[in-house]
Amino acid sequence: MTPVTIAQLRARSTVDLMTAACALGLGRTKAYELARREEFPCRVIRIGDTYRVPTAGLLDLLGVSAEEPRTAAEAGR
């Protein structure tokens, strides 16, 4: 799976389980196993057979702000 960037995560309110797993360095089998056991390291929403992960919680787990950092020019306004 292609690595995911922080900017890509910030652009969406939720991501699929494999995108979250990739961001955390987890493989497919382990990610689904953890999600099924309700032990995935951040909140997972199950909709039928689909798992979605809210990006705010994922970014928090990664130690990254959900908001994009402001540039120096924006901060001085």
Side-chain angles (χ1 to χ4, degrees), residues 69-77:
R70 296 178 4 182
T71 64
E74 291 173 330
R77 289 185 188 169

Side-chain angles (χ1 to χ4, degrees), residues 30-51:
K30 188 62 159 181
Y32 278 97
E33 176 186 319
L34 291 172
R36 274 192 295 276
R37 291 190 307 191
E38 298 182 5
E39 294 178 3
F40 199 78
C42 56
R43 183 174 173 224
V44 175
I45 301 167
R46 185 169 182 182
I47 305 167
D49 293 337
T50 303
Y51 292 98

Side-chain angles (χ1 to χ4, degrees), residues 57-73:
L58 177 59
L59 290 169
D60 186 50
L61 180 64
L62 294 170
V64 178
S65 169
E67 294 181 21
E68 229 175 298
R70 296 178 4 182
T71 64

Side-chain angles (χ1 to χ4, degrees), residues 18 21-22 25-32:
M18 288 315 304
C22 181
L26 297 171
R28 179 182 180 85
T29 303
K30 188 62 159 181
Y32 278 97

